[in-house]
Every structure is written in C-alpha cells, then in structure tokens.
C-alpha cells in the first residue's frame, strides 16, 4: 500500500495482508477464542484472547481506518454497540450532548432511554443549521453528534461548519457516516473526531450481517476507545468481520449504482402527480444542497 492508493485499492487491500501461515490473500476467518502463548507474556503476533483482538477483526479494523482516513478503527457487534461504547468512553454524569432532531430512531432511544438514566443530558438541534447547533451548546457540552445524510429524512449537515463549532466549544464531533459511507464522504478530513458506522447497511452491503464501527482521527482517542471496546466486550465476531471485509471490496461499485438508481427514482417521483415532496440530497432543490458548503 502507498499514500497514492485510491479508494478502491484501499477498499480491496487495506488490512488484507497475506496470511503469514499460508500466504492466503484473503484474511482467513480466525474462528478462535484463545491463542497458544510462547511462554509467559510471549504473545504470538500480539493475540491472546479474541475479545481483546482477533486477526480477522484486526484486518477489518485496519481497513476501516484506512477508508475513513483515521488512526484507529474498531469493529463491533452492531452500530448501536459501537455508539454505546463511544458514549460510555467519552461521557460521565453531568456531561451534555447535542444530538440531531432527525437522528436514527435507535440512536435517539440510546440517548433518551439509556444514556440519560446515567446522568448525561442532551439537547436536540437541527444540525443542518449551524446556528441551531451553537444555540444548543451549554458549558457542559462534551459531544456534538451529527448524522448526515440522516435516517430516514436525508437531512444534510455541513460537517466542517459544525466541526468549527465543536472545536471552539471544546467538544468532540461525532459523525454517523452510515448512509454516505466513506466512498462518498470522509468526515474526519472535514474536522470530525470520530466516525460511527452501522456496518449493517452499505458497508456490509448484502443484508447478511449486523455490525458497527468507530474510527478515531486521533491515536490517543483510538486507544481509549479500544480500551473500552475490550472492557465492554461488544466486539464483532470473526465471521461477521470477514463478511463485512468482503462486502467492502465492492463498496465503490455498489455506491455508484445506488446513486444512479436513487437519482432516477427521485426524478421519477418528482414528476409524479401524487407526490408532494421528494427528499433526495442529489436534487438541486434539497435544502442541504442549497446550503452547501458554508466556506
Ligand atoms: C444511521 C444509522 N446509525 C446507526 C444505526 C444502528 O445500527 P445497527 O442497526 O447496526 O445497530 C442505524 C440502523 O439502522 C442507522 O441507520
């Protein structure tokens, strides 16, 4: 791999180093819980127990970090498991979070029904409007959460503008990049601190796996999240990691086709007499398209 490798090369090769035992070009499914040690403290390749690390999961985690341009990728049993780990790593009772008014329902439930019970407060903002995000801040705000495009209304947030607000407020910017995928959008390059994924969607791509991910821009934060991943334990299993890694190899071609198909459906619906409004960020009249970008 080189710095010049394009997205599709990274999608196919990053993390996919030839298996040291056989030379297999695709990382094997290391369906194993524990690893033989070469004496006390002598870990072969750094592996000890598969909650802490597993070679198939490592391959996926390295691939995710490369695609998002981050320093550390971590793979989880689901998108919500990744979100839960992130929130418990970043927040303590008394902290405050700004969340989008159109976040995925499960994310909203996590804040409203789970995290809030542990003393973390949240305010809801229209993150497509930077002023609304600024107005929702308190002196205890530690995280600004953005989902763009949002599920299901496809709202668009100007990540760079909100990253400026987060930096000034001393808060971390988290971006749920599930719908765009790193093929279409790389939030860390726009100033986000952490990217969240439901790998269940376009990354897996075949409706045959549930998974989640975090990618941190900063190595220190990545280490902190990895500590919590191991401490809390909701990791992606080896087979699920392998399935996602396989799906990612075709991410670019699938996303191109999704975009072409969605544009045609949006156009068709836009001309339909029984359709009042079409929400598709590719349309000129979409509010996110009009406001893009603020600098
Ligand atoms: C944008 C978004 N984020 C997070 C999640 C949660 O992911 P999972 O279902 O893998 O737990 C979903 C699920 O639909 C989603 O659409």
């Amino acid at each position: 791999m080189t710095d010049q490798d394009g997205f599709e090369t990274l999608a196919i090769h990053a993390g996919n180093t030839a298996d040291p035992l056989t030379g297999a070009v695709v990382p094997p499914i290391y369906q194993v819980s524990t690893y033989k040690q070469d004496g006390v403290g002598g870990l072969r390749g750094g592996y000890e127990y598969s909650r802490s690390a597993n070679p198939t999961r490592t391959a996926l985690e390295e691939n995710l970090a490369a695609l998002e341009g981050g320093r550390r990728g971590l793979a989880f049993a689901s998108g919500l498991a990744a979100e839960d780990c992130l929130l418990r790593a970043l927040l303590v009772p008394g902290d405050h979070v700004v969340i989008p008014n159109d976040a995925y329902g499960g994310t909203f439930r996590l804040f409203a029904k789970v995290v809030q019970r542990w003393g973390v407060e949240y305010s809801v903002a229209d993150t497509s409007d930077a002023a609304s995000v600024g107005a929702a801040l308190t002196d205890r705000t530690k995280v600004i959460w953005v989902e763009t495009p949002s599920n299901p209304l496809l709202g668009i947030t100007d990540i760079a503008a909100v990253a400026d607000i987060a930096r000034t407020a001393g808060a971390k910017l988290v971006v749920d990049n599930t719908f765009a995928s790193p093929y279409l959008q790389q939030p860390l390059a726009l100033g986000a601190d952490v990217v969240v994924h439901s790998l269940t969607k376009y990354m897996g791509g075949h409706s045959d796996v549930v998974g989640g991910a975090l990618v941190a821009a900063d190595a220190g934060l990545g280490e902190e999240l990895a500590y919590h991943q191991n401490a809390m334990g909701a990791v992606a299993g080896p087979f699920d990691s392998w399935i996602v890694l396989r799906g990612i190899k075709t991410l670019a071609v699938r996303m191109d086709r999704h975009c072409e198909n969605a544009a045609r459906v949006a156009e068709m619906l836009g001309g339909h007499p029984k359709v009042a409004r079409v929400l598709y960020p590719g349309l000129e009249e979409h509010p996110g398209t009009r406001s893009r970008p603020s600098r």
Side-chain angles (χ1 to χ4, degrees):
M1 310 295 321
T2 72
D3 288 348
Q4 279 78 48
D5 285 328
F7 186 89
E8 287 160 88
T9 303
L10 288 174
I12 293 166
H13 293 292
N16 287 256
T17 44
D19 179 48
L21 191 61
T22 63
V25 294
V26 169
I29 303 166
Y30 280 92
Q31 195 68 42
V32 64
S33 61
T34 194
Y35 304 76
K36 190 170 187 305
Q37 311 300 312
D38 291 328
V40 176
L43 305 183
R44 291 185 194 187
Y47 295 100
E48 180 183 18
Y49 185 62
S50 280
R51 170 167 36 75
S52 312
N54 169 281
T56 319
R57 196 175 90 227
T58 301
L60 172 61
E61 292 177 335
E62 289 180 3
N63 183 272
L64 292 166
L67 295 188
E68 287 289 1
R71 296 294 297 280
R72 186 75 183 256
L74 298 163
F76 293 83
S78 70
L80 284 177
E83 294 183 17
D84 179 39
C85 179
L86 175 63
L87 293 175
R88 284 201 264 169
L90 293 181
L91 300 167
V92 296
D95 286 347
H96 173 262
V97 184
V98 177
I99 63 169
N101 62 359
D102 59 349
Y104 163 64
T107 297
F108 182 76
R109 180 179 56 201
L110 185 63
F111 281 105
K113 301 288 183 193
V114 180
V115 177
Q116 197 183 29
R117 288 177 57 211
W118 299 98
V120 172
E121 296 300 327
Y122 67 87
S123 301
V124 175
D126 173 4
T127 58
S128 69
D129 171 16
S132 166
V133 176
L137 295 173
T138 76
D139 56 3
R140 292 169 291 116
T141 304
K142 293 289 171 1
V143 168
I144 300 176
W145 191 282
V146 160
E147 186 181 301
T148 181
S150 64
N151 175 10
L153 292 178
L154 301 180
I156 298 290
T157 294
D158 181 340
I159 296 172
V162 177
D164 281 346
I165 295 173
R167 211 173 301 115
T168 307
K172 297 256 183 293
L173 175 61
V174 174
V175 176
D176 185 330
N177 201 26
T178 298
F179 266 28
S181 91
Y183 179 60
L184 298 177
Q185 167 175 278
Q186 295 168 357
L188 302 184
L190 298 170
D193 296 288
V194 183
V195 162
V196 173
H197 275 286
S198 169
L199 299 174
T200 317
K201 310 295 166 354
Y202 297 119
M203 300 290 268
H206 297 75
S207 302
D208 53 11
V209 67
V210 172
L214 301 176
V215 181
D218 173 74
L221 177 58
E223 198 53 45
E224 182 72 8
L225 296 176
Y227 177 86
H228 280 80
Q229 180 196 41
N230 179 51
M232 292 162 61
V235 294
F239 182 67
D240 288 357
S241 298
W242 188 89
I243 281 281
V244 175
L245 207 47
R246 187 175 199 259
I248 287 173
K249 290 188 167 69
T250 55
L251 180 68
V253 284
R254 286 188 286 103
M255 293 312 287
D256 281 341
R257 185 60 69 88
H258 285 312
C259 291
E260 278 169 34
N261 289 349
R264 289 179 66 180
V265 171
E267 197 183 319
M268 181 273 291
L269 291 174
H272 197 287
K274 293 194 170 167
V275 175
R277 191 165 166 224
V278 181
L279 296 174
Y280 177 59
L283 296 175
E284 268 310 306
E285 62 267 31
H286 190 279
T289 309
R290 281 205 301 275
S291 68
R292 182 202 307 154
S294 68
R295 58 180 196 159

